Amino acid sequence: LAEWIDIGDSWEKVTPGGNEGYDLMMLRLTNTANGIPSADKPRLWVMGSTHARELVTAETVTRFAEHLLTNYGVDPDITWVLDHHEVHLLLVTNPDGRKHAEVLQSWRKNTNENYCGVTSSYRGADLNRNFDFEWAEYNPDHDPCSYLYVGPSAASEPETQAVQDWIVANFPDWRPDDLTTPAPDEATGIFIDVHSYSEVVLTAFGWQDPPSPNDAQILKLARKFSFFTDYDAKLGSLGIISGSTKDYAYGRLGMPAFTFELGTEFFQDCAPFESTIYPDNLQALLYAARAVRAPYTQSSGPEVVTPAGLPTVPGPGETVTVTAVIDDTRYGPGETFPPISVENIAAAEAYIDVPPWRPGATAIPMSAVEGVFDSSTESVTVSFPSSGLSDGRHTIYIRGQDSAGYWGTVRAVFIWVLDPLTAAHVAGMLTDVNSGLPVQGTVAAGIFSTASGPATGSYDLLLPAGTY
């Protein structure tokens, strides 16, 4: 599921003498053992710690990785995302500067000693002004001691070069390198650079109004993110800038590109990070991971909410009922122009084991619970027998379509077909390995946990859901 890849070096690593510096290590997450070629998997890029003092960014990206890996095989959405998509994570883009920030220096740039003097704490280049798309064309700062110093030339810094080289080699190019041609609807991929602070979602381009030729679609996607974070989705940047990471990714390749500005300070307190900043942004990143297959169109489509399949563990031939809510209203705060229209739901579909984009996928139409699709939020359902499904786990994929013809992102649920005549079962009493006392717990989809948490030891039992 995971590859730890050296994609380049920090400035101190490539500079003879002095500090040793660091490799820029990128974490690529995907299931490489399921036979799906990498070329068939659209990709999400997320990077953190471009600016060293923005401490929550590396932590957020790292925890996102941990969440994906911990929940593979447990959470159906994370499982299909890592089966069918790739997630590329650069946890620390600016490791040299990060080491200064970790001892509470307000360090922003890299540590290039050629700019502003060897010992100055203001030395270095601003990596988020150094990328090679419209570099230094708009509001450039050429003072080497400025926090916003753009560098002496485009992509002059090794950290910048490493990111550019990786995304150009691994993400498709969907548009020419001009300022007017939009990327096509079939473009794949999403690029996110995680920063702090301001509680906003920013988009390309950072210097013009309207910012980009895909404005309407990009704003919809930004407001999909802000639904989870309650951040302000803004076209463009907080000021007039060029040479930024998001402008490079969209400008050169045409994938929608964003800056997430997390929280309320550079050295963020732990309490708000744990309670809202991380959990809210995790949901936004999970949405991005689902949407990379068709971000320009799925951002216009409705979302699948509270999907469920019951019974979770059906016997052979038992009827399975799949339900969900299809919702076209899930846009958060942000700019209102270009306008975003909310449509009625027109259709919903379920797929068993094969998602809608794979060969052999078979759609099972879902019905509106109230009998007719006539609202922007609809409860939907479908029932089918489990006969013909082998024993074991099956994935039910669900998606919805609005009256404008847009499909939203896919969500999924697991069911386990289990023949009680042949399934493993507990004979007698399950006891605690330490005390010998009976253990009371609940089995959900074959995973045993006690009332107070996971049971001690490992279990290879697949049991009907229930309380024991």
Side-chain angles (χ1 to χ4, degrees):
L1 293 178
E3 297 173 273
W4 188 234
I5 303 170
D6 183 351
I7 68 168
D9 298 322
S10 70
W11 182 83
E12 293 179 14
K13 182 70 179 287
V14 301
T15 304
N19 298 325
E20 293 183 359
Y22 300 89
D23 297 320
L24 267 63
M25 301 303 298
M26 196 277 300
L27 185 63
R28 177 165 56 192
L29 305 181
T30 191
N31 179 358
T32 60
N34 63 356
I36 300 175
S38 177
D40 292 346
K41 295 182 177 183
R43 293 156 186 171
L44 170 66
W45 170 274
V46 185
M47 60 193 293
S49 199
T50 303
H51 290 149
R53 65 190 178 185
E54 300 170 7
L55 296 187
V56 300
T57 66
E59 182 72 4
T60 297
V61 181
T62 302
R63 290 207 194 182
F64 178 45
E66 293 170 345
H67 183 82
L68 292 174
L69 293 172
T70 300
N71 288 282
Y72 181 83
V74 177
D75 182 299
D77 286 324
I78 288 173
T79 304
W80 78 253
V81 162
L82 292 185
D83 282 343
H84 296 278
H85 295 173
E86 290 186 3
V87 179
H88 295 205
L89 305 173
L90 184 57
L91 312 181
V92 180
T93 308
N94 180 9
D96 295 342
R98 170 79 183 197
K99 297 309 292 185
H100 291 279
E102 286 177 354
V103 294
L104 301 185
Q105 292 187 51
S106 185
W107 203 282
R108 174 183 171 95
K109 302 184 287 183
N110 73 353
T111 64
N112 194 322
E113 295 174 357
N114 296 311
Y115 318 139
C116 197
V118 173
T119 61
S120 173
S121 61
Y122 293 95
R123 69 182 183 270
D126 182 349
L127 299 178
N128 202 33
R129 303 293 188 276
N130 188 241
F131 277 70
D132 187 15
F133 188 81
E134 298 294 302
W135 172 83
E137 289 293 326
Y138 305 93
N139 199 28
D141 195 326
H142 292 292
D143 176 4
C145 295
S146 168
Y147 274 141
L148 305 178
Y149 177 52
V150 299
S153 60
S156 59
E157 307 311 297
E159 298 91 345
T160 304
Q161 296 163 21
V163 174
Q164 290 187 173
D165 290 348
W166 182 265
I167 65 171
V168 167
N170 289 276
F171 287 77
D173 188 350
W174 294 102
R175 64 180 295 278
D177 296 346
D178 60 28
L179 304 181
T180 58
T181 304
D185 284 352
E186 62 267 25
T188 63
I190 294 175
F191 180 103
I192 297 173
D193 188 2
V194 182
H195 284 252
S196 70
Y197 60 94
S198 287
E199 298 186 327
V200 295
V201 179
L202 306 175
T203 73
F205 295 123
W207 65 83
Q208 65 179 20
D209 186 20
S212 79
N214 287 101
D215 275 356
Q217 296 153 305
I218 286 175
L219 179 61
K220 287 180 179 179
L221 195 52
R223 289 186 58 186
K224 290 283 190 179
F225 298 142
S226 71
F227 173 83
F228 300 103
T229 62
D230 204 36
Y231 291 176
D232 186 35
K234 177 179 173 58
L235 287 173
S237 294
L238 293 175
I240 298 174
I241 69 168
S242 58
S244 71
T245 57
K246 61 181 173 58
D247 291 349
Y248 179 87
Y250 174 77
R252 293 290 187 211
L253 301 179
M255 60 177 159
F258 304 88
T259 297
F260 284 14
E261 292 278 2
L262 276 56
T264 56
E265 54 186 312
F266 296 134
F267 296 89
Q268 187 76 56
D269 290 342
C270 288
F273 176 78
E274 299 289 358
S275 63
T276 57
I277 295 172
Y278 169 66
D280 292 352
N281 281 278
L282 171 65
Q283 295 306 312
L285 292 171
L286 290 171
Y287 173 82
R290 297 195 301 271
V292 291
R293 184 167 295 275
Y296 286 128
T297 58
Q298 289 183 337
S299 60
S300 296
E303 295 308 307
V304 178
V305 185
T306 60
L310 293 174
T312 307
V313 186
E318 188 174 356
T319 296
V320 176
T321 298
V322 176
T323 61
V325 173
I326 311 298
D327 189 344
D328 203 50
T329 70
R330 287 163 67 92
Y331 294 101
E335 295 189 17
T336 57
F337 187 85
I340 295 175
S341 61
V342 173
E343 309 290 344
N344 286 345
I345 306 305
E349 295 175 342
Y351 296 76
I352 302 175
D353 289 331
V354 182
W357 57 84
R358 295 291 297 171
T362 301
I364 303 174
M366 302 182 74
S367 302
V369 170
E370 294 182 350
V372 61
F373 290 111
D374 59 1
S375 173
S376 58
T377 302
E378 293 280 0
S379 295
V380 297
T381 186
V382 68
S383 297
F384 53 86
S386 65
S387 54
L389 299 180
S390 60
D391 277 9
R393 191 183 75 189
H394 295 271
T395 304
I396 312 300
Y397 300 89
I398 307 165
R399 66 174 183 169
Q401 185 184 45
D402 67 18
S403 58
Y406 290 106
W407 293 98
T409 63
V410 166
R411 297 288 305 277
V413 296
F414 287 150
I415 62 169
W416 285 258
V417 176
L418 185 70
D419 187 343
L421 298 179
T422 60
H425 63 282
V426 172
M429 184 177 294
L430 187 63
T431 59
D432 183 88
V433 295
N434 296 314
S435 68
L437 296 174
V439 173
Q440 291 185 332
T442 298
V443 173
I447 302 169
F448 186 88
S449 63
T450 67
S452 59
T456 303
S458 62
Y459 299 87
D460 296 317
L461 304 177
L462 186 61
L463 306 171
T467 298
Y468 295 80

